Amino acid sequence: MAPQQPCVLVVEDENAQREVLKYNLEAEGFGVVLAENGDEALLLVREENPDLIVLDWMLPNVSGIEVCRRIKADPGTRAIPIVMLSARGDEGDRVRGLETGADDYVVKPYSVVELMARLRTQLRRTRPATMGERLIFDDIILDAGEHRVFRDGQPLHLGPTEFRLLSTLMEKPGRVWTREQLLDRVWGRDIYVDTRTIDVHVGRLRKALMTHGGTNPVRTVRGTGYALG
């Protein structure tokens, strides 16, 4: 199974704009979820837990600014990067968008190439493994680009599932992941896997990480899930 592709929630009320964004994002290898208005966006951000949000300012009913404010005010969603799209290019509008919580602000009409570059920049910050970055935690090095893992300088042999599991844990050391969250990130949103399966793969990952000795870095959080460190 290939690594789980990053999911982008596109919130845009104009159908033509939605389809252009969807086409270009999918061409870049992203999974795409579409919303036509602010209410739908607020529902989908909870249901889909996207890795990134592309948010139009001018939306019917609930504006993009208000959607941004609510997402960033919620501890469960505030870490999701938001790139705001708007025809409003004045300095005051940019400042308002960024002060509301947007991580980046792109003025319409925009360059698709530039927009994709900005999205990749946000994902390097929040999901570096999907961008081929090298991750380091204590004496563990995960090279996502070359698909290799080392501990204390020694190569480790991980199966594809254990590699994706480790990359998820290493992207946010210390974060406690529930089994459901790990299954969603490692296996994908459209595949049903029993949550007990995660325990089996965590066991395999721990065994692999301790091949050359050393302590077990994967911590069990009773009644919740797992964390690295």
Side-chain angles (χ1 to χ4, degrees):
M1 186 187 299
Q4 178 63 19
Q5 60 185 178
C7 175
V8 179
L9 171 60
V10 174
V11 190
E12 168 63 65
D13 63 321
E14 294 185 13
N15 182 63
Q17 286 287 333
R18 279 199 312 276
E19 291 305 314
V20 167
L21 286 166
K22 181 175 184 290
Y23 174 83
N24 284 284
L25 285 164
E26 290 181 341
E28 291 287 323
F30 298 122
V32 181
V33 178
L34 301 175
E36 299 181 11
N37 56 61
D39 290 321
E40 187 178 10
L42 291 169
L43 178 64
L44 287 173
V45 76
R46 272 301 187 179
E47 290 182 349
E48 300 292 337
N49 189 31
D51 299 296
L52 182 67
I53 300 171
V54 177
L55 177 63
D56 185 29
W57 179 317
M58 304 298 290
L59 296 171
N61 301 323
V62 182
S63 71
I65 282 286
E66 178 61 16
V67 171
C68 181
R69 186 193 68 76
R70 294 187 193 180
I71 290 172
K72 293 299 185 177
D74 186 336
T77 58
R78 66 173 52 148
I80 302 173
I82 296 177
V83 175
M84 183 163 284
L85 302 180
S86 177
R88 305 170 70 147
D90 292 343
E91 182 180 20
D93 292 322
R94 292 173 182 264
V95 170
R96 184 183 174 194
L98 294 170
E99 286 185 342
T100 303
D103 297 88
D104 202 352
Y105 190 102
V106 177
V107 178
K108 296 179 179 180
Y110 54 83
S111 160
V112 171
V113 173
E114 180 183 358
L115 176 61
M116 295 301 137
R118 288 174 181 256
L119 298 184
R120 286 193 293 271
T121 295
Q122 294 298 326
L123 285 170
R124 284 191 189 98
R125 178 171 61 84
T126 57
R127 287 201 62 187
T130 64
M131 298 291 105
E133 301 290 309
R134 174 178 282 203
L135 307 181
I136 300 175
F137 176 79
D138 288 344
D139 60 349
I140 303 170
I141 297 175
L142 183 147
D143 191 322
E146 297 187 3
H147 210 271
R148 296 193 298 171
V149 178
F150 299 87
R151 185 168 194 190
D152 195 24
Q154 300 295 316
L156 302 180
H157 300 287
L158 272 62
T161 300
E162 286 69 44
F163 185 91
R164 293 194 304 276
L165 178 58
L166 179 61
S167 68
T168 296
L169 294 170
M170 288 186 70
E171 283 181 341
K172 297 184 184 298
R175 168 177 170 171
V176 178
W177 294 83
T178 66
R179 288 172 175 81
E180 290 77 10
Q181 288 171 334
L182 287 171
L183 287 170
D184 181 66
R185 178 63 65 88
V186 175
W187 277 266
R189 295 170 172 80
D190 301 322
I191 299 175
Y192 173 76
V193 181
D194 191 294
T195 55
R196 289 173 294 183
T197 302
I198 199 69
D199 301 324
V200 174
H201 288 282
V202 167
R204 292 176 181 172
L205 174 60
R206 283 170 166 159
K207 183 177 180 180
L209 289 173
M210 298 171 70
T211 299
H212 305 293
T215 59
N216 168 32
V218 181
R219 174 167 52 96
T220 299
V221 181
R222 188 174 299 277
T224 304
Y226 299 98
L228 185 66

